[in-house]
């Protein structure tokens, strides 16, 4: 879990995860969203892979990244559990009286 929180501690890595939440992306597509040198981004990808938050596939010279959401969800659940915070289901909003039948 320490690797996950280390990965999440950086705003650039959090933004990469947010982008990957929308869809799988190539390294080039992700790099186009940042004003960072490619070696810097490669370092961020390495940290995210080490924490198992992302997975990658290489086809030729193209690397495509995808979010490993189950690891992120597990880390968040463990974090909440550690502090005794349980996720309670939100109560459903009541329907307006004219919509009830």
């Amino acid at each position: 879990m320490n690797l996950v929180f280390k990965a999440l501690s950086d705003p650039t890595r959090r933004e990469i995860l947010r982008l990957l939440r929308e869809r799988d992306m190539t390294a080039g597509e992700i790099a186009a969203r940042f004003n960072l040198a490619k070696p810097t981004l490669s370092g961020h990808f390495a940290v995210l892979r080490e924490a198992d938050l992302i997975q990658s596939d290489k086809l030729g010279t193209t690397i495509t990244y995808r979010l490993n959401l189950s690891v992120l969800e597990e880390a968040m659940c463990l974090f909440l559990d550690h502090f005794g915070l349980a996720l309670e289901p939100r109560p459903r909003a009541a329907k307006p009286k004219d919509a009830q039948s």
Side-chain angles (χ1 to χ4, degrees):
M1 188 155 86
N2 287 340
L3 291 175
V4 171
F5 286 109
K6 174 187 173 188
L8 294 175
S9 71
D10 185 272
T12 299
R13 292 191 288 267
R14 291 192 304 268
E15 180 62 13
I16 291 169
L17 294 174
R18 190 193 66 75
L19 291 169
L20 293 174
R21 179 76 169 119
E22 296 172 11
R23 65 180 178 85
D24 296 356
M25 298 178 80
T26 66
E29 290 172 320
I30 296 169
R33 305 284 185 107
F34 296 93
N35 189 21
L36 297 171
K38 288 186 181 185
T40 302
L41 274 174
S42 291
H44 286 302
F45 293 144
V47 171
L48 291 167
R49 275 194 313 270
E50 183 180 9
D52 203 26
L53 289 169
I54 63 171
Q55 297 173 335
S56 61
D57 293 311
K58 187 172 183 177
L59 183 61
T61 59
T62 302
I63 301 173
T64 301
Y65 291 99
R66 68 183 171 282
L67 181 63
N68 190 357
L69 191 56
S70 61
V71 172
L72 184 58
E73 289 173 339
E74 182 181 336
M76 293 298 105
C77 287
L78 288 171
F79 180 75
L80 292 172
D81 186 55
H82 180 77
F83 290 100
L85 304 170
L87 288 178
E88 297 290 329
R90 290 185 183 184
R92 291 186 175 178
K95 291 182 183 178
K97 288 191 180 234
D98 60 340
Q100 294 177 353
S101 304

